[in-house]
Short mmCIF file of all heavy atoms in Angstrom, two decimals:
data_model
loop_
_atom_site.label_atom_id
_atom_site.label_comp_id
_atom_site.label_asym_id
_atom_site.label_seq_id
_atom_site.Cartn_x
_atom_site.Cartn_y
_atom_site.Cartn_z
N ASP A 326 -100.58 -98.18 -94.67
CA ASP A 326 -101.04 -99.57 -94.78
C ASP A 326 -102.48 -99.81 -94.36
O ASP A 326 -103.01 -100.90 -94.61
CB ASP A 326 -100.15 -100.48 -93.90
CG ASP A 326 -98.72 -100.52 -94.41
OD1 ASP A 326 -98.50 -100.25 -95.60
OD2 ASP A 326 -97.82 -100.81 -93.60
N ASP A 440 -87.24 -108.86 -95.06
CA ASP A 440 -88.64 -108.63 -94.70
C ASP A 440 -89.58 -109.17 -95.78
O ASP A 440 -90.60 -109.81 -95.48
CB ASP A 440 -88.90 -107.13 -94.51
CG ASP A 440 -88.45 -106.63 -93.16
OD1 ASP A 440 -88.09 -107.46 -92.30
OD2 ASP A 440 -88.43 -105.40 -92.97
N PHE A 441 -89.23 -108.89 -97.02
CA PHE A 441 -90.09 -109.33 -98.12
C PHE A 441 -90.14 -110.86 -98.21
O PHE A 441 -91.19 -111.43 -98.49
CB PHE A 441 -89.59 -108.75 -99.44
CG PHE A 441 -89.96 -107.31 -99.66
CD1 PHE A 441 -89.23 -106.52 -100.53
CD2 PHE A 441 -91.05 -106.74 -99.02
CE1 PHE A 441 -89.58 -105.18 -100.75
CE2 PHE A 441 -91.41 -105.41 -99.22
CZ PHE A 441 -90.66 -104.63 -100.10
N VAL A 442 -89.01 -111.51 -97.97
CA VAL A 442 -88.99 -112.98 -98.02
C VAL A 442 -89.73 -113.57 -96.83
O VAL A 442 -90.56 -114.47 -96.97
CB VAL A 442 -87.55 -113.51 -98.09
CG1 VAL A 442 -87.53 -115.04 -97.99
CG2 VAL A 442 -86.88 -113.07 -99.38
N SER A 443 -89.42 -113.06 -95.63
CA SER A 443 -90.01 -113.64 -94.43
C SER A 443 -91.50 -113.35 -94.33
O SER A 443 -92.25 -114.11 -93.69
CB SER A 443 -89.28 -113.15 -93.18
OG SER A 443 -89.41 -111.75 -93.04
N ASP A 444 -91.98 -112.27 -94.95
CA ASP A 444 -93.40 -111.92 -94.93
C ASP A 444 -94.09 -112.23 -96.26
O ASP A 444 -95.14 -111.67 -96.57
CB ASP A 444 -93.59 -110.44 -94.60
CG ASP A 444 -93.15 -110.09 -93.19
OD1 ASP A 444 -93.11 -111.00 -92.34
OD2 ASP A 444 -92.85 -108.91 -92.93
N LEU A 445 -93.52 -113.14 -97.03
CA LEU A 445 -94.01 -113.43 -98.37
C LEU A 445 -95.49 -113.81 -98.37
O LEU A 445 -96.29 -113.27 -99.15
CB LEU A 445 -93.18 -114.55 -99.00
CG LEU A 445 -93.55 -114.98 -100.42
CD1 LEU A 445 -93.37 -113.82 -101.39
CD2 LEU A 445 -92.69 -116.17 -100.84
N ALA A 446 -95.88 -114.72 -97.48
CA ALA A 446 -97.28 -115.19 -97.46
C ALA A 446 -98.23 -114.06 -97.09
O ALA A 446 -99.30 -113.90 -97.69
CB ALA A 446 -97.41 -116.35 -96.47
N GLU A 447 -97.86 -113.28 -96.10
CA GLU A 447 -98.71 -112.17 -95.66
C GLU A 447 -98.87 -111.14 -96.76
O GLU A 447 -99.98 -110.63 -96.99
CB GLU A 447 -98.09 -111.53 -94.41
CG GLU A 447 -98.88 -110.37 -93.84
CD GLU A 447 -98.22 -109.77 -92.61
OE1 GLU A 447 -97.48 -110.49 -91.91
OE2 GLU A 447 -98.42 -108.57 -92.36
N ASP A 448 -97.78 -110.79 -97.44
CA ASP A 448 -97.86 -109.80 -98.52
C ASP A 448 -98.71 -110.31 -99.68
O ASP A 448 -99.50 -109.55 -100.26
CB ASP A 448 -96.46 -109.43 -99.01
CG ASP A 448 -95.71 -108.55 -98.02
OD1 ASP A 448 -96.38 -107.80 -97.28
OD2 ASP A 448 -94.47 -108.60 -97.99
N LEU A 449 -98.55 -111.59 -100.03
CA LEU A 449 -99.35 -112.15 -101.11
C LEU A 449 -100.84 -112.12 -100.76
O LEU A 449 -101.69 -111.86 -101.63
CB LEU A 449 -98.91 -113.58 -101.40
CG LEU A 449 -97.61 -113.74 -102.21
CD1 LEU A 449 -97.15 -115.18 -102.18
CD2 LEU A 449 -97.81 -113.25 -103.65
N ALA A 450 -101.16 -112.36 -99.50
CA ALA A 450 -102.56 -112.31 -99.07
C ALA A 450 -103.14 -110.91 -99.22
O ALA A 450 -104.35 -110.74 -99.41
CB ALA A 450 -102.67 -112.78 -97.62
N ASP A 451 -102.26 -109.89 -99.15
CA ASP A 451 -102.69 -108.51 -99.32
C ASP A 451 -102.59 -108.04 -100.77
O ASP A 451 -102.77 -106.86 -101.06
CB ASP A 451 -101.83 -107.58 -98.44
CG ASP A 451 -102.13 -107.75 -96.96
OD1 ASP A 451 -103.24 -108.23 -96.64
OD2 ASP A 451 -101.27 -107.42 -96.13
N GLY A 452 -102.25 -108.97 -101.66
CA GLY A 452 -102.18 -108.63 -103.08
C GLY A 452 -100.85 -108.06 -103.53
O GLY A 452 -100.77 -107.47 -104.63
N ARG A 453 -99.81 -108.21 -102.72
CA ARG A 453 -98.51 -107.65 -103.06
C ARG A 453 -97.49 -108.78 -103.28
O ARG A 453 -97.29 -109.61 -102.39
CB ARG A 453 -98.00 -106.73 -101.94
CG ARG A 453 -98.93 -105.59 -101.67
CD ARG A 453 -98.53 -104.60 -100.61
NE ARG A 453 -97.31 -104.80 -99.89
CZ ARG A 453 -96.57 -103.79 -99.40
NH1 ARG A 453 -96.95 -102.54 -99.63
NH2 ARG A 453 -95.50 -104.03 -98.70
N LEU A 454 -96.87 -108.77 -104.45
CA LEU A 454 -95.79 -109.70 -104.73
C LEU A 454 -94.49 -108.93 -104.64
O LEU A 454 -94.21 -108.05 -105.46
CB LEU A 454 -95.95 -110.32 -106.12
CG LEU A 454 -94.79 -111.22 -106.58
CD1 LEU A 454 -94.59 -112.39 -105.61
CD2 LEU A 454 -95.04 -111.73 -107.99
N THR A 455 -93.67 -109.23 -103.64
CA THR A 455 -92.52 -108.39 -103.33
C THR A 455 -91.19 -108.94 -103.86
O THR A 455 -90.15 -108.33 -103.64
CB THR A 455 -92.41 -108.20 -101.81
OG1 THR A 455 -92.43 -109.49 -101.17
CG2 THR A 455 -93.59 -107.37 -101.29
N LEU A 471 -96.62 -119.22 -105.95
CA LEU A 471 -96.43 -118.66 -104.61
C LEU A 471 -97.78 -118.47 -103.91
O LEU A 471 -97.91 -118.79 -102.73
CB LEU A 471 -95.68 -117.33 -104.71
CG LEU A 471 -94.29 -117.40 -105.34
CD1 LEU A 471 -93.68 -116.00 -105.43
CD2 LEU A 471 -93.37 -118.32 -104.54
N ALA A 533 -92.21 -123.36 -95.26
CA ALA A 533 -93.12 -122.72 -94.30
C ALA A 533 -93.36 -121.26 -94.65
O ALA A 533 -94.40 -120.68 -94.28
CB ALA A 533 -92.57 -122.84 -92.89
N LEU A 534 -92.41 -120.61 -95.35
CA LEU A 534 -92.56 -119.21 -95.71
C LEU A 534 -93.73 -118.99 -96.67
O LEU A 534 -94.21 -117.86 -96.80
CB LEU A 534 -91.27 -118.69 -96.35
CG LEU A 534 -90.04 -118.68 -95.44
CD1 LEU A 534 -88.80 -118.30 -96.24
CD2 LEU A 534 -90.24 -117.71 -94.29
N LEU A 535 -94.19 -120.04 -97.30
CA LEU A 535 -95.35 -119.94 -98.18
C LEU A 535 -96.66 -119.86 -97.39
O LEU A 535 -97.72 -119.61 -97.96
CB LEU A 535 -95.40 -121.14 -99.12
CG LEU A 535 -94.19 -121.29 -100.07
CD1 LEU A 535 -94.24 -122.63 -100.78
CD2 LEU A 535 -94.16 -120.14 -101.07
N HIS A 536 -96.56 -120.08 -96.08
CA HIS A 536 -97.75 -120.11 -95.23
C HIS A 536 -97.70 -119.09 -94.09
O HIS A 536 -98.73 -118.60 -93.64
CB HIS A 536 -97.94 -121.50 -94.62
CG HIS A 536 -98.06 -122.58 -95.64
ND1 HIS A 536 -99.22 -122.86 -96.32
CD2 HIS A 536 -97.13 -123.46 -96.12
CE1 HIS A 536 -99.03 -123.86 -97.15
NE2 HIS A 536 -97.77 -124.25 -97.07
N ARG A 537 -96.51 -118.78 -93.59
CA ARG A 537 -96.40 -117.90 -92.42
C ARG A 537 -95.07 -117.15 -92.44
O ARG A 537 -94.15 -117.53 -93.16
CB ARG A 537 -96.51 -118.71 -91.13
CG ARG A 537 -95.49 -119.84 -91.01
CD ARG A 537 -95.51 -120.50 -89.66
NE ARG A 537 -94.67 -121.69 -89.60
CZ ARG A 537 -93.35 -121.68 -89.49
NH1 ARG A 537 -92.71 -120.52 -89.45
NH2 ARG A 537 -92.66 -122.81 -89.44
N SER A 538 -95.02 -116.11 -91.61
CA SER A 538 -93.80 -115.30 -91.53
C SER A 538 -92.75 -115.99 -90.68
O SER A 538 -93.06 -116.87 -89.86
CB SER A 538 -94.13 -113.93 -90.92
OG SER A 538 -95.02 -113.21 -91.74
N ALA A 539 -91.51 -115.59 -90.88
CA ALA A 539 -90.40 -116.12 -90.10
C ALA A 539 -89.87 -115.03 -89.17
O ALA A 539 -89.94 -113.84 -89.48
CB ALA A 539 -89.28 -116.59 -91.02
#
Side-chain angles (χ1 to χ4, degrees):
D326 295 337
D440 280 351
F441 282 158
V442 173
S443 62
D444 293 338
L445 180 62
E447 180 181 333
D448 286 332
L449 283 169
D451 289 338
R453 301 181 359 149
L454 174 59
T455 53
L471 300 178
L534 296 173
L535 299 170
H536 302 279
R537 56 173 172 77
S538 297

